[in-house]
Amino acid sequence: MEEKSFLEKIEISADYIKKFIDFDIEIALVLGSGLGELAQSIENPIVINYSDIPNFPISTAPGHYGKLVIGEISGKNVVCMQGRFHYYEGYDAKTICYPIFVFNQLNIKKLILTNASGCLRRDWNVGDLMIIEDHIKLVSDNPLRGINYESLGPRFFDMSKTYSSKMMKLACACAKEINLPIRKGVYQFFSGPSFETAAEIKMASALGADATGMSTVFEAITASYLKMELLAISCLTNMATGISETILDENEVIEAGKKVKPQFIKLLKSIINKWEN
Ligand code: HPA
């Protein structure tokens, strides 16, 4: 039998998810390291294991789950990805973004991406949250490399409005309301799983990056392609290599993420509540 096309696969995954719901989902959230817990505050949750969704990849990273949780947050119908797919796990860029294509197929046009990242700014602190206003990707891979499906989006497309300025403003206003200081900056993608070298961090700083991490950028590119309204927020869980003397380890990242989690969750709930069309 002929192999199913990418479009057919997405449709099959979306149709499977549709069987569980009789309402429209408005917002999709991809929860980064340590933030999976937000999904626990979802009301009337419907939980679907990635492994049960036809064609869906499966997540293996520490601190990550492998479930979709669908339900209500702050009065809005949302789907949370509890656990995402990373390049360092061996997935290719398109597979990492597979869920974003499925969300689009479910007619979801609002997306929040969260992650943990290393801080490049000596004047900022571990535990700070940063709204991603732009990104740098030197890794040559791209989720849209290969066949283009014109029904999804154009072959070439603008990236200047990838991160919604309306959503950045709203996130700042919501942070202010709960007295949570928030940064804005540029996120640079590195493939991992090795943390960066001190020289790489110096380079990233010189290029204009404020934070470094191993996720988000492929998903942001896909969201831009699919014309989704995107907000991305990073939790600066550690000073990047060479910015402080501390030796990096993954537990530090998970622990720092845990400390800001309650505030981060509060912020996300407020943003979801106020996100209008
Ligand atoms: N580098 C890359 N990814 C990360 C880091 C870092 O310092 N911290 C959390 N994710």
Side-chain angles (χ1 to χ4, degrees), residues 197-214:
T197 65
E200 284 163 346
I201 291 302
K202 255 191 203 163
M203 174 197 70
S205 268
L207 292 179
D210 302 294
T212 172
M214 305 174 193

Side-chain angles (χ1 to χ4, degrees), residues 11-254:
E11 209 176 311
I12 290 167
S13 300
D15 284 347
Y16 179 83
I17 294 165
K18 276 184 203 161
K19 280 196 250 159
F20 290 81
I21 50 174
D22 58 2
F23 50 84
D24 292 332
I25 301 171
E26 199 178 337
I27 304 172
L29 291 103
V30 181
L31 305 174
S33 308
L35 260 185
E37 232 176 69
L38 173 65
Q40 281 160 19
S41 42
I42 292 186
E43 289 164 51
N44 307 318
I46 297 162
V47 181
I48 309 175
N49 290 324
Y50 294 166
S51 53
D52 291 334
I53 306 171
N55 307 321
F56 227 71
I58 303 165
S59 138
T60 66
H64 286 261
Y65 307 72
K67 293 174 196 161
L68 284 187
V69 187
I70 301 170
E72 229 179 84
I73 296 183
S74 309
K76 301 245 164 69
N77 291 328
V78 303
V79 55
C80 279
M81 271 188 83
Q82 239 184 345
R84 61 144 60 89
F85 306 107
H86 299 87
Y87 203 54
Y88 62 74
E89 292 176 89
Y91 299 108
D92 64 41
K94 194 178 223 113
T95 306
I96 288 164
C97 300
Y98 189 81
I100 310 296
F101 286 104
V102 173
F103 295 153
N104 181 66
Q105 185 70 26
L106 289 167
N107 244 336
I108 304 170
K109 286 295 187 185
K110 295 177 175 152
L111 178 67
I112 299 179
L113 301 173
T114 70
N115 66 33
S117 68
C119 179
L120 270 59
R121 294 281 297 258
R122 290 173 205 275
D123 54 337
W124 293 0
N125 301 303
V126 166
D128 285 355
L129 296 181
M130 184 190 92
I131 295 168
I132 300 177
E133 56 183 356
D134 209 345
H135 71 236
I136 300 172
K137 175 179 78 64
L138 295 182
V139 173
S140 63
D141 210 342
N142 190 299
L144 303 169
R145 189 168 164 265
I147 282 187
N148 185 55
Y149 297 96
E150 289 291 328
S151 61
L152 295 179
R155 170 81 295 182
F156 303 105
F157 58 99
D158 182 78
M159 284 290 289
S160 63
K161 294 189 170 54
T162 298
Y163 300 92
S164 155
S165 50
K166 177 188 118 189
M167 288 314 296
M168 285 193 248
K169 272 190 208 136
L170 177 65
C172 286
C174 291
K176 201 167 174 196
E177 215 173 271
I178 59 169
N179 266 329
L180 180 67
I182 196 146
R183 314 284 190 183
K184 263 175 151 182
V186 173
Y187 175 91
Q188 178 147 356
F189 173 70
F190 281 92
S191 69
S194 48
F195 285 119
E196 301 74 22
T197 65
E200 284 163 346
I201 291 302
K202 255 191 203 163
M203 174 197 70
S205 268
L207 292 179
D210 302 294
T212 172
M214 305 174 193
S215 69
T216 304
V217 164
F218 289 143
E219 293 139 321
I221 292 170
T222 304
S224 191
Y225 170 71
L226 297 169
K227 297 217 164 10
M228 290 174 154
E229 195 169 32
L230 170 66
L231 172 70
I233 304 180
S234 191
C235 175
L236 307 173
T237 51
N238 56 277
M239 286 296 169
T241 312
I243 301 290
S244 87
E245 296 306 309
T246 319
I247 299 290
L248 290 186
D249 81 288
E250 66 182 58
N251 293 323
E252 181 195 358
V253 170
I254 291 169

